[in-house]
Amino acid sequence: MQYLLDTSICVFFLRGKLALDEIIKEKGRENCFVSEITALWSRKQ
């Protein structure tokens, strides 16, 4: 199964409210993706 990490999930991770690194390890890095919108947003922050 593939997972799209949206902006909200990434914000929770950046604020220390989510162990996203552990989730990615569990699901497999090759199955986790970030949208272009989220990637562009994160560069501006």
Side-chain angles (χ1 to χ4, degrees):
M1 182 177 282
Q2 296 179 334
Y3 300 90
L4 179 62
L5 308 175
D6 67 0
T7 305
S8 297
I9 295 297
C10 293
V11 168
F12 280 123
F13 172 67
L14 293 172
R15 292 184 177 169
K17 299 183 184 238
L18 181 67
L20 187 57
D21 52 338
E22 294 298 322
I23 294 170
I24 291 173
K25 284 179 189 175
E26 178 185 317
K27 303 300 181 186
R29 187 173 170 187
E30 67 279 359
N31 295 317
C32 298
F33 300 90
V34 177
S35 72
E36 289 186 41
I37 299 296
T38 301
L40 289 172
W41 176 87
S42 67
R43 289 183 188 164
K44 291 184 178 187
Q45 298 305 315

